Amino acid sequence: MDPAYVQNLHALLAQSTSNDTVQLKAATAQLNREFYKNAACIPALAQIIASSPEQPVRQLAAVELRKRIAQNSGDFWLQLDADQREQIKAKLPEIVLSETNNLVRHSTARVIAAIASIEMPLGTWSQLLPFLEQTCLSPQAAHREVGIYILYTVLESIVEGFESHLQSFFKLFEKLLSDPESAEVRITTVRALGVVAQYIDSDDKEDIRAFQHLLPAMIEVIGQCVQDGNETGARQLFDVLETLLILEVPLLSQHIPQLAEFLLRCGANRAFESDLRVLALNALNWTVQYKKSKVQSHNLAPAILEGLMPITTEEEPEDVDDDAPSRSALRIVDCLATSLPPTQVFPALRQLIQQYFSSTDASHRRGAMLALGVSVEGCSEFMTPLMSQVWPIIEAGLQDQDASVRKASCVAVSCLCEWLEEECAAKHAFLVPTMMQLVNDPVTQRSACTALDALLEIMHDVIDQYLNLIMERLVGLLDTAPIPVKSVVIGAIGSAAHASKDKFLPYFAPTMERFKHFLVLTGEGEEQELRGITMDAVGTFAEAVGKDVFRPYFADMMKQAFNGIELGSPRLRECSFLFFGVMSRVFGDEFAPYLPNVVPALIASCKQAEHGEEERLTITNPEVAASFASGSSRANAIAVTDEAQVAIDEDDNLDMDQLLDVNSTICIEKEIAADTIGTIFLATRSHFLPYVEQCTIELVGLLPHYYDGIRKSATDSLLEIIRVFYDLSEPQEWQPGFANIVPLNPRVKELIGHIIPPLLEMYESEDNKKVVSSLCVGLAETTTKLGPAFLEGRLEHFANIAIQVLEQKAICQQDPDQDEADDAPEDSAEYDSILISSAGDLVAALATALGPEFASGFEKFFPLISKYYKKNRSLSDRSSAIGCLSEIIGGMKSAITPWTEPLMDLFYRALSDEEPEVQCNAAFASGLLIEHSDVDLSPQYLHLLAALRPLFVVAPDAPAAKLNARDNAVGAVARMLVKNTAAMPLDQVLPVFFDALPLRNDFLENRPVFRAIFHLFKTQPALLAPYLDKLLHVFAFVLDPTAPDMVGDEIRAELIGLIGVLNREEPAKVQAAGLTAFVPGQ
C-alpha cells in the first residue's frame, strides 16, 4: 500500500473531523472525488483504523470503511484481490480486540459484520464463528464484550445463514446472560437474542423451547439495568422486549403473567428513575395490547389494575407533552379497558375507584377520578346500567375541596359525555350549573371549559334554558382568560352553537365580531392553536345558523382559511381542511368556485412526506411505525437506514427522538385531507368531476400507509367517490339479484376497477379493527347504493371478508398466542363488537342487493350471525345479531321461508331479553318474518302478542331504547293485522294498538302502521268507529306541516284520500281534528 496514499487519506479524514464547516465540506468533496470511488480506499481505511493515534479519525475511518464495503451490494469489496481481502479479514479481529475506545470498537465490529454479510453466504470466512465463540468465552471481560458485540452485529446482517447454528448460540447465550463481571456482555446478549427471535418460525418447536428457557434470565438482565439506573441499556432492552411482543411467534406466551408482574414491579418502584419506570410501564402497555389473549385467559387485569392505582396517584407534570409514570399507568388502564372484555376490567376497577375515592388523601381521589375517566371508552356499554352508582362519585368529585380532584372530575365528565351521551344529557340540571361554577374558578377553569364543551355537544334541545347564561359567562372569559383557556372557551361556544342550532342566531353576529382578531393570529404554539379552534367554531356556527345568515361572512372566512394554509403549520392546515368540508356541506354548489384552490391544497397534503426531507429516514417495521405515529412507542424502536449518511454509531448515547422527526401532526393532517376529499365531492357533486381522477390516484396511494387513521380516511373517501360518481351517472333504479342486473355506466365501472382491487389488497394485510370496520360499513353502503351490478365478480371477495370477521379469523382479530383449534372467546372487548356489527351490515347489504338469490348465502351466514345472540354475549353483539337478521329478512323477502322456525325461536328468546335495544330489534324482526314468510304463523299470534305486550308499557320519560322498542312492537302488530286479520283477537288488540299511536320515535314504522289502518278501513270499517276521534288526532299529528315528514309521499297521498272519504261521513269530526285543510278540493 502506497504510504503517501494512506497519509493523504488520513489527513483528509482528520480535516473531516474539524469543526470548521468550510474545511469539512472541502475534505468531504475531495474524499468522494479522489478516494471513495476506488476500491484501494478499503485496505487504506483498514490500516488507518489499526494505526492512527487519533480516536476521531479511527472512528470516522471505521464508519466510512463499512459504507465502502457495503457499496453496490458488496461489489466494491469483491474488487479487491483475494489476498488483500484475507489480510483485512485476519487483521480486523485483532484490531477490534486491541482497540481501547468503545465507540471505535463498535464501529469496527460493524465493519466485520459488513464483510461477513458478503463472505459468509459465499462460504469464504469459516474462521469467523470459531473466533467469535472463543472470544465470547475469553477470561477477559473486555474481550467477551467485543466478541458478543461482533456476533450481535453479524446476526443483524446475516442471520438467515445461521439457522443450523441456533442451538449452539442458545447454549453460548445462556452462559453470557449470567456473565459475572460485565453488564455490557449481558445486555448485548439480550439484544442478540432479540435479533435471533425475528428469524424463528412457528414450526421451529425446538428453537422456541430453547428461547423460552432463556427468558427468565433475559428479564433478570432488564431488571438489573433498571435497578442500576442504566438508561441506555434499559432503553435497548425494552426495545428488544417490544420486538418480542409484536412477533407472531409466541415466544413470550408461557411467561406473560411473570412478565406483567415484573414490568408492574419496575413501573411501581418509586426508587427507580422516572424515565425507566415509564419504559417499563410502556412495555406493560404493549404486553396488554399484543398478548391480549394471554392477559385475558390468565385474568391478569384485576392484579394489574391493583398495581397501577398507586401509580395514578403520583404527581403529573404541568406540560401535557411530558411523560410520567402516572400518565403511563392511566394509558394502561385505558388499554385494558379497550382491549379486554369489560367484565374483566370494570368490576375490579370500580372497587378500586370506590376505595381510592374514599381516601382522605386528595391524590388518591384524583387518581380514582382519572382512572374512571380513561376506562369509559372501553366499558361504556357495560357501565350504563351501573351509572346510578357512578354518578354520586362524579358529583362528589366535582364538589371536592381539593382543586386537583375537581379538575380530574372534569376530565372524567368529558370522557363520560363522549361515550355515554344520553346518561350525561339527562344529568344537565346538576352538571351545567356545577360546570359554570367551576368555570369561574381560575384553578379549574380550563378543565371545566373542556367538560362543558363535551356536555354542550350532546345537550340538544335542553340547552335552550341555559343558553343565555352560558354565552354570557363564556364570552366574558374571552377578554380575561389566558390563551389556553380562551381556546377551550371558544370550543365550548362552538358546541353551544351546535346544540342550539337556530336558537344561536341572536348570539351569532356579536360572537363573530369578537372572534375576528383570533382568526388573524400568526404566532406559533398557543396562538396557532387558538386560531385553529376559532376556525372550527366558525364552521359550527355556519351549520347552526344556515347559509343565508352566514353568507356575508363566507368569502372572508374562506380567505382566512387559505391564509392559515400558507402559515406552514400542520395544525392550521388541518383546521382549514375541516372548515372547507363544513363550508362545502353548508353552501353546496356555491362552494364550487373555490375548488380550483381547495383541491390542490388537499392533494398537496396527501403527497407530503412525514419526515424531514433532509434526513430521508425510513421506518422498517410498520407495526412499530404505527405505534410511533400514535405516540405509543419511543422513537428508538425504529430503525434508521444509511440514507441519512450520518457518521454516528447508533449504540452510543444518541437521542433518536431528535434524529427521527416523524411528525404525527402531519399524519393527522393527511388523515383530515383524505377525509375532506370525500366530503367535498359529496357536497359539490358534478362541479368536482374534473378532480376525481387525480384524487382517486392520491387516495389509492395512501392505502398502504403505516398510520391507520390515514388508511381509514382514504377507504371512506374512495367508497364515497364511487357512490357519488354513480349518482351522477343518472342510473336506472336497480332490482335485486343478478338475473335483473342493470349494467353500470362504463365510466363508473372503470372507476370501481381502479378502487376496489387496492382496497381488497389492503384488507389482506390490514391489522387495525377500525379500518376493517370502516371498510365493511363502506362496502355495505356502496352495495346498497349500486345494487347487484357492484357485486359482479366481487361477491365472493366481499362475502369472505364478512365470513372471516364473523368467524373472528380476519388478520386484525388474530392473536398468535391463541391456539388455532380454539374458538375466539365469547366474552370480548366492546371495540370487537363494533367490528362484528360492521360485518353484519355488509351481510345485510349483500342480502338487500341479491334478494331471493341470497338464500344459498344465508345458509352459511345464519349460524355465523345467530351465534352472537347468547346471554353471555355483550348487548352490542346481541342487538346487532338480531338487527342484522331483520335486515336480511327485509332483503330476501319470501325466500326466507325455509328458515322461519329457527328464526322465530331466536326472536322469541330476544323478545324476552333484559335490554330494550335487543327487544326493539326482535320486535322489528318478528314483524318482518310474519310479513315475508310463506309459512302461516297465525297459530303463534297469541304467543307472539303475549311476548310483545310488555313492550307497550312505557313511561313518557323512559329511555329512547324503550320508546323505540314500543314503536317497533306497534309495527310488528300492524304487520300481523295485515297478514291475517282473522287470527287476531281484535277486541283486545286494537285498544292497545291505537293507544300507542302516534309513533314518536321510529317514524319508519308508520309505514306498516298506516298500511294496517288502511287495510282495516277497507275490510272492517265498522270496527274502527269507536276509535275514529283517536285516529283523526293521529292523522293530524303525522300531517302537521311544521313537523318533519313522518310518513312519506305514498302514505301521505293515501291518507289524504282517506280523510276525504271520512269528511263525507263525519265532517264535524274531521273539522274538530283540524284536518279540513287536507280534504281534497277544499
Side-chain angles (χ1 to χ4, degrees):
M1 173 108 295
D2 177 4
Y5 180 88
V6 177
Q7 205 172 343
N8 287 342
L9 179 55
H10 188 285
L12 286 169
L13 289 172
Q15 192 178 324
S16 296
T17 62
S18 154
N19 289 329
D20 184 325
T21 314
V22 178
Q23 279 200 18
L24 172 64
K25 280 187 174 172
T28 304
Q30 198 175 341
L31 283 166
N32 286 329
R33 195 172 56 246
E34 296 175 14
F35 288 88
Y36 293 160
K37 288 180 179 172
N38 188 330
C41 70
I42 290 176
L45 287 165
Q47 193 175 323
I48 289 168
I49 299 169
S51 60
S52 172
E54 298 170 46
Q55 181 260 314
V57 172
R58 297 200 303 280
Q59 160 65 9
L60 184 56
V63 170
E64 291 298 341
L65 179 54
R66 178 169 68 90
K67 288 181 191 171
R68 302 313 133 212
I69 287 165
Q71 207 166 306
N72 296 339
S73 305
D75 181 52
F76 222 42
W77 165 253
L78 294 172
Q79 284 178 28
L80 295 177
D81 61 50
D83 285 349
Q84 279 182 304
R85 294 204 306 272
E86 286 305 319
Q87 278 174 20
I88 293 169
K89 278 154 55 181
K91 189 77 181 158
L92 279 173
E94 294 172 25
I95 295 171
V96 81
L97 287 178
S98 58
E99 175 58 59
T100 53
N101 180 275
N102 210 29
L103 198 60
V104 180
R105 264 211 308 263
H106 281 187
S107 297
T108 310
R110 291 196 172 276
V111 173
I112 293 172
I115 296 171
S117 67
I118 302 163
E119 298 263 351
M120 298 282 282
L122 299 173
T124 49
W125 201 358
S126 55
Q127 309 91 322
L128 181 62
L129 281 184
F131 160 75
L132 290 178
E133 192 160 348
Q134 185 187 336
T135 312
C136 285
L137 297 172
S138 161
Q140 288 182 49
H143 285 191
R144 296 198 299 279
E145 289 166 5
V146 172
I148 185 59
Y149 189 81
I150 298 172
L151 183 53
Y152 160 61
T153 52
V154 167
L155 284 169
E156 273 195 313
S157 307
I158 49 161
V159 80
E160 285 97 335
F162 283 163
E163 282 89 346
S164 57
H165 298 277
L166 281 185
Q167 285 299 321
S168 60
F169 284 157
F170 288 138
K171 290 188 178 69
L172 173 65
F173 292 158
E174 186 171 13
K175 292 174 189 159
L176 297 180
L177 282 170
S178 55
D179 190 290
E181 290 175 86
S182 170
E184 191 182 324
V185 169
R186 298 193 293 271
I187 290 166
T188 312
T189 306
V190 175
R191 295 176 75 193
L193 277 160
V195 176
V196 167
Q198 297 175 56
Y199 296 90
I200 298 176
D201 279 330
S202 302
D203 304 332
D204 301 336
K205 302 298 181 198
E206 196 182 347
D207 290 341
I208 291 173
R209 272 196 301 276
F211 194 98
Q212 288 174 334
H213 172 66
L214 300 179
L215 274 167
M218 292 169 71
I219 291 170
E220 198 175 319
V221 175
I222 300 174
Q224 287 165 352
C225 269
V226 176
Q227 204 164 341
D228 298 344
N230 177 353
E231 189 173 342
T232 306
R235 284 191 188 284
Q236 292 166 342
L237 298 194
F238 280 119
D239 284 347
V240 170
L241 198 50
E242 288 174 2
T243 301
L244 297 181
L245 285 165
I246 61 178
L247 289 175
E248 290 196 5
V249 181
L251 295 172
L252 291 174
S253 6
Q254 290 180 358
H255 296 84
I256 292 301
Q258 298 88 324
L259 178 63
E261 194 267 335
F262 159 74
L263 293 170
L264 194 52
R265 205 170 59 242
C266 286
N269 192 330
R270 298 187 189 196
F272 294 162
E273 290 285 333
S274 179
D275 282 359
L276 297 182
R277 294 174 62 202
V278 166
L279 287 176
L281 291 168
N282 285 351
L284 178 56
N285 201 23
W286 281 56
T287 306
V288 173
Q289 209 174 328
Y290 288 102
K291 299 296 167 189
K292 186 180 80 169
S293 68
K294 290 296 173 192
V295 174
Q296 183 172 339
S297 63
H298 289 287
N299 196 20
L300 299 181
I304 293 174
L305 288 165
E306 198 169 336
L308 291 173
M309 281 307 290
I311 309 173
T312 67
T313 67
E314 294 180 36
E315 215 172 310
E316 277 196 280
E318 281 297 314
D319 191 332
V320 291
D321 294 326
D322 287 350
D323 219 338
S326 54
R327 285 187 176 154
S328 300
L330 288 164
R331 266 201 298 275
I332 301 169
V333 175
D334 181 19
C335 187
L336 286 165
T338 50
S339 304
L340 298 177
T343 47
Q344 288 199 359
V345 179
F346 197 71
L349 183 61
R350 193 180 69 174
Q351 226 172 343
L352 288 163
I353 287 168
Q354 284 167 335
Q355 177 193 327
Y356 274 67
F357 194 73
S358 57
S359 166
T360 53
D361 184 338
S363 66
H364 281 61
R365 299 198 299 277
R366 189 195 81 229
M369 271 303 167
L370 292 172
L372 173 61
V374 296
S375 69
V376 179
E377 181 184 354
C379 299
S380 56
E381 187 184 290
F382 186 85
M383 284 171 71
T384 305
L386 305 170
M387 284 308 291
S388 59
Q389 296 156 49
V390 174
W391 279 118
I393 296 176
I394 297 284
E395 289 172 12
L398 289 169
Q399 296 167 322
D400 197 281
Q401 60 195 26
D402 185 274
S404 71
V405 180
R406 297 197 298 275
K407 281 168 78 172
S409 304
C410 289
V411 172
V413 168
S414 300
C415 300
L416 286 164
C417 287
E418 186 176 353
W419 298 100
L420 291 165
E421 291 189 17
E422 276 182 37
E423 285 72 14
C424 292
K427 283 282 177 185
H428 63 87
F430 168 76
L431 287 175
V432 175
T434 307
M435 287 305 157
M436 297 313 291
Q437 226 174 335
L438 293 170
V439 163
N440 275 347
D441 180 351
V443 184
T444 51
Q445 208 165 58
R446 189 173 181 183
S447 308
C449 278
T450 305
L452 186 63
D453 182 357
L455 178 61
L456 296 177
E457 183 92 15
I458 59 170
M459 276 176 64
H460 310 301
D461 298 344
V462 183
I463 198 173
D464 298 354
Q465 58 191 289
Y466 304 108
L467 191 56
N468 198 37
L469 166 73
I470 288 167
M471 289 304 295
E472 205 175 284
R473 189 75 48 85
L474 292 179
V475 169
L477 283 173
L478 292 179
D479 296 328
T480 56
I483 285 184
V485 176
K486 278 181 182 158
S487 292
V488 288
V489 166
I490 286 171
I493 291 173
S495 293
H498 169 78
S500 57
K501 304 285 187 287
D502 56 357
K503 305 271 188 353
F504 189 74
L505 270 171
Y507 308 96
F508 170 60
T511 310
M512 285 296 289
E513 187 59 33
R514 279 178 170 273
F515 277 13
K516 270 198 318 200
H517 59 284
F518 299 143
L519 290 164
V520 292
L521 294 172
T522 55
E524 290 191 3
E526 289 180 343
E527 281 198 8
Q528 281 189 352
E529 185 66 19
L530 179 56
R531 176 176 176 151
I533 285 172
T534 307
M535 205 78 202
D536 291 344
V538 169
T540 310
F541 292 175
E543 289 192 292
V545 301
K547 64 179 177 184
D548 293 331
V549 175
F550 193 81
R551 191 174 282 108
Y553 300 89
F554 180 31
D556 187 47
M557 288 301 108
M558 286 297 292
K559 185 179 160 195
Q560 298 303 347
F562 284 121
N563 289 344
I565 290 176
E566 297 306 315
L567 289 172
S569 152
R571 175 75 177 104
L572 284 183
R573 287 197 295 270
E574 174 198 328
C575 292
S576 292
F577 297 159
L578 285 168
F579 186 74
F580 294 151
V582 173
M583 290 299 105
S584 71
R585 278 201 304 271
V586 172
F587 284 94
D589 291 343
E590 290 178 55
F591 188 81
Y594 293 100
L595 290 175
N597 293 320
V598 168
V599 179
L602 294 170
I603 287 172
S605 174
C606 292
K607 281 177 179 286
Q608 70 183 320
E610 284 102 66
H611 325 304
E613 283 297 324
E614 307 77 27
E615 290 178 340
R616 302 292 300 168
L617 297 167
T618 304
I619 294 187
T620 54
N621 184 331
E623 186 86 61
V624 176
S627 308
F628 185 83
S630 61
S632 61
S633 166
R634 291 198 54 79
N636 56 2
I638 301 172
V640 182
T641 66
D642 259 343
E643 288 178 73
Q645 299 290 303
V646 184
I648 47 153
D649 189 294
E650 62 271 49
D651 294 302
D652 295 277
N653 304 316
L654 169 67
D655 185 351
M656 294 292 282
D657 288 339
Q658 287 176 359
L659 181 62
L660 246 179
D661 184 22
V662 180
N663 198 334
S664 61
T665 56
I666 292 181
C667 284
I668 294 165
E669 179 207 323
K670 277 187 171 185
E671 177 185 354
I672 301 296
D675 197 56
T676 304
I677 288 171
T679 303
I680 293 178
F681 187 20
L682 180 62
T684 57
R685 307 185 76 77
S686 59
H687 301 288
F688 196 90
L689 287 173
Y691 310 100
V692 167
E693 185 178 339
Q694 196 181 357
C695 286
T696 301
I697 290 166
E698 289 308 323
L699 290 168
V700 166
L702 291 176
L703 291 176
H705 199 282
Y706 65 81
Y707 178 54
D708 53 72
I710 289 175
R711 298 197 301 277
K712 181 181 179 301
S713 284
T715 299
D716 290 343
S717 279
L718 284 165
L719 291 167
E720 186 75 88
I721 284 171
I722 291 175
R723 293 192 293 271
V724 180
F725 202 70
Y726 169 78
D727 273 344
L728 294 172
S729 70
E730 299 176 354
Q732 286 175 258
E733 198 174 324
W734 56 265
Q735 298 300 314
F738 287 130
N740 313 308
I741 215 148
V742 176
L744 293 169
N745 175 300
R747 291 188 63 203
V748 174
K749 198 169 182 178
E750 186 188 355
L751 180 71
I752 293 169
H754 286 299
I755 290 174
I756 296 299
L759 280 173
L760 295 175
E761 189 181 338
M762 176 193 77
Y763 169 75
E764 290 303 323
S765 58
E766 183 52 68
D767 59 1
N768 184 278
K769 288 175 184 170
K770 289 180 188 174
V771 178
V772 174
S773 180
S774 226
L775 176 66
C776 288
V777 171
L779 289 174
E781 288 174 0
T782 313
T783 301
T784 306
K785 167 81 73 177
L786 276 68
F790 180 57
L791 300 178
E792 275 193 301
R794 300 183 189 91
L795 175 59
E796 199 176 332
H797 290 294
F798 295 174
N800 281 340
I801 292 175
I803 289 167
Q804 283 183 1
V805 172
L806 291 168
E807 288 180 340
Q808 292 174 275
K809 289 182 177 168
I811 294 277
C812 64
Q813 296 164 297
Q814 284 177 9
D815 187 330
D817 292 298
Q818 190 178 307
D819 197 322
E820 277 184 34
D822 293 347
D823 286 335
E826 288 185 356
D827 198 5
S828 59
E830 289 184 4
Y831 265 130
D832 296 332
S833 297
I834 294 168
L835 177 58
I836 299 300
S837 172
S838 309
D841 291 345
L842 179 52
V843 180
L846 298 178
T848 303
L850 295 174
E853 290 175 26
F854 188 69
S856 57
F858 188 63
E859 201 160 330
K860 170 76 179 171
F861 280 111
F862 182 33
L864 288 180
I865 295 163
S866 59
K867 75 175 182 184
Y868 287 95
Y869 187 82
K870 286 183 184 170
K871 289 291 181 197
N872 58 343
R873 289 283 187 182
S874 69
L875 162 59
S876 176
D877 280 352
R878 301 198 311 277
S879 172
S880 61
I882 303 300
C884 174
L885 289 169
S886 68
E887 289 180 54
I888 290 171
I889 295 167
M892 287 174 66
K893 306 284 192 291
S894 62
I896 200 69
T897 302
W899 292 276
T900 302
E901 195 179 330
L903 281 168
M904 205 68 218
D905 289 346
L906 180 61
F907 298 155
Y908 278 130
R909 278 169 35 220
L911 279 168
S912 62
D913 196 283
E914 61 202 21
E915 292 291 342
E917 192 182 312
V918 181
Q919 295 171 335
C920 176
N921 285 348
F924 180 60
S926 51
L928 279 179
L929 188 61
I930 281 167
E931 180 182 345
H932 293 301
S933 173
D934 292 337
V935 174
D936 178 13
L937 288 167
S938 55
Q940 296 194 39
Y941 273 18
L942 290 179
H943 183 190
L944 183 54
L945 286 168
L948 291 169
R949 182 68 180 89
L951 305 189
F952 283 80
V953 184
V954 184
D957 60 347
K962 286 199 169 190
L963 297 168
N964 280 333
R966 181 181 61 187
D967 287 2
N968 279 269
V970 175
V973 171
R975 289 179 166 96
M976 294 162 76
L977 279 165
V978 172
K979 190 73 181 254
N980 191 342
T981 317
M984 296 285 272
L986 295 177
D987 55 330
Q988 296 170 54
V989 170
L990 292 183
V992 178
F993 179 65
F994 291 138
D995 191 47
L997 299 179
L999 302 186
R1000 293 174 188 273
N1001 284 64
D1002 191 343
F1003 295 142
L1004 285 176
E1005 288 304 273
N1006 271 326
R1007 285 182 291 187
V1009 164
F1010 278 91
R1011 278 203 306 272
I1013 291 170
F1014 299 152
H1015 170 72
L1016 288 170
F1017 266 115
K1018 283 172 192 163
T1019 57
Q1020 304 187 46
L1023 265 179
L1024 298 182
Y1027 308 104
L1028 188 57
D1029 290 339
K1030 168 71 178 178
L1031 286 170
L1032 289 170
H1033 164 70
V1034 171
F1035 298 170
F1037 181 85
V1038 299
L1039 292 173
D1040 180 356
T1042 64
D1045 180 18
M1046 300 182 219
V1047 289
D1049 294 341
E1050 197 179 320
I1051 286 172
R1052 177 186 299 275
E1054 195 167 344
L1055 181 53
I1056 289 170
L1058 175 60
I1059 291 167
V1061 173
L1062 293 172
N1063 189 58
R1064 288 197 292 274
E1065 296 168 10
E1066 298 276 3
K1069 287 191 173 186
V1070 170
Q1071 188 177 0
L1075 288 167
T1076 311
F1078 294 100
V1079 174
Q1082 291 292 313

